Each structure stands twice: as C-alpha cells, then as structure tokens.
Amino acid sequence: YKFKFPQAFIEYLKEFNDAELEPNVIDVGDNECCIRYFYGTSDNEYSDIGAVYEYYKERMPKKCVPIADPDFGNQICISLSEETYGTIYFWDHETMDTNMDGICMISLEDMFKIADSFDELLYNIKESPYVVGIEETQGFLKTIMKGFFGEKYK
C-alpha cells in the first residue's frame, strides 16, 4: 500500500518500527486503554501495518488506517483523509457497524477522536498504574512459589 502518513509517524517508525511500547496507557473518553505496540514493517502479520490494514480495511471508514494495537480487537487509527489528515481515532470493534457483507457503515465522525495528531497521541501516553517494579514482582512470585512448593522453594 502507498500510504501518505504524517511525518511524525514516519519518524517514529524509522526509530522504533513495531516495538512494544512503555509507557503505554492513553485516555479514551472516561476510560483508559493500553497500546501494546504500533504497527510497522514486519514479517509478523499481526504487527505489519499493511497486513493489518488489509484485514480491517472493509470494516473501517475510507482513508482510516490502523496504526496501533490496544488489545481486545480494538484499533488505534490515523485518518489520511484530506479533511481530518493526521487525526487519531479509537475504533471499538464492538460498536462499529458493518452491513451483512462486513462492509463499514460508519464515518470517521462516528469514531472516538483521541488526538489531533500523532505527536499529541505520543505526548498523552502515560505510565500504567498497574505496573510494579522488578523487586515487587520477584517478591510476589517467591511468595506464590513458596505457597505452591512449600519451604523447598527458596
């Protein structure tokens, strides 16, 4: 595909491609979601932007391209349409309407706007409140293992 992405997204892909993201939480209205990774160029069909677009293109508004995986079948998308070029949207797979043939029945205006630009999206990413440090994780795992194996586990 020949996408004409905003320069900020292109620069991000040049630097990080499809790497996992930390910190990774964004606000979506009154809720939060975690972005696992941005799609890039990859041999893995799950993180390759062209393969992901091919899978979702009939289910999304025209000129709307998935750019990130926020889990649970939802998508973070960027608009490539002239009127809303570069705007970032949240696509909820449970509320996005398609007809009986699986063809998109919504417009960009029906999607939830989460940022005016890719730069703004990156700026709004924050740490997950659920992340714990390595010491806490190791201590927790030792407690579980001792409970499972008894004192044999040290």
Side-chain angles (χ1 to χ4, degrees):
Y1 294 97
K2 299 234 181 211
F3 301 117
K4 183 164 176 24
F5 290 117
Q7 193 61 37
F9 184 61
I10 293 168
E11 293 302 319
Y12 180 89
L13 292 179
K14 285 180 182 176
E15 181 74 23
F16 303 107
N17 198 16
D18 61 345
E20 289 188 17
L21 191 64
E22 284 292 332
N24 66 351
V25 176
I26 59 166
D27 291 324
V28 178
D30 294 334
N31 298 306
E32 293 180 332
C33 78
C34 293
I35 298 175
R36 294 186 338 164
Y37 50 85
F38 286 100
Y39 302 124
T41 55
S42 173
D43 292 336
N44 181 338
E45 67 185 51
Y46 299 107
S47 62
D48 180 72
I49 199 164
V52 173
Y53 175 74
E54 181 65 30
Y55 180 78
Y56 285 101
K57 71 180 180 180
E58 299 297 327
R59 299 175 61 196
M60 294 189 176
K62 298 284 185 232
K63 303 208 177 203
C64 181
V65 178
I67 61 167
D69 180 354
D71 280 333
F72 308 116
N74 302 316
Q75 296 295 315
I76 303 296
C77 305
I78 194 165
S79 170
L80 300 181
S81 74
E82 190 174 316
E83 301 81 28
T84 56
Y85 184 78
T87 304
I88 308 297
Y89 294 93
F90 182 81
W91 182 84
D92 183 337
H93 79 284
E94 293 178 6
T95 62
M96 297 295 115
D97 292 329
T98 58
N99 65 17
M100 296 299 284
D101 295 321
I103 305 298
C104 179
M105 301 295 292
I106 64 167
S107 67
L108 284 172
E109 291 78 29
D110 297 317
M111 295 173 66
F112 191 85
K113 179 178 155 184
I114 56 176
D116 288 324
S117 66
F118 186 73
D119 287 332
E120 182 181 325
L121 174 68
L122 292 179
Y123 180 80
N124 290 335
I125 293 174
K126 57 189 178 183
E127 286 286 344
S128 172
Y130 309 108
V131 172
V132 295
I134 189 70
E135 291 90 20
E136 292 90 348
T137 302
Q138 288 172 337
F140 177 71
L141 290 174
K142 281 184 180 180
T143 302
I144 290 174
M145 296 304 277
K146 278 185 181 177
F148 188 71
F149 291 111
E151 287 302 315
K152 292 185 272 185
Y153 182 81
K154 295 196 190 262

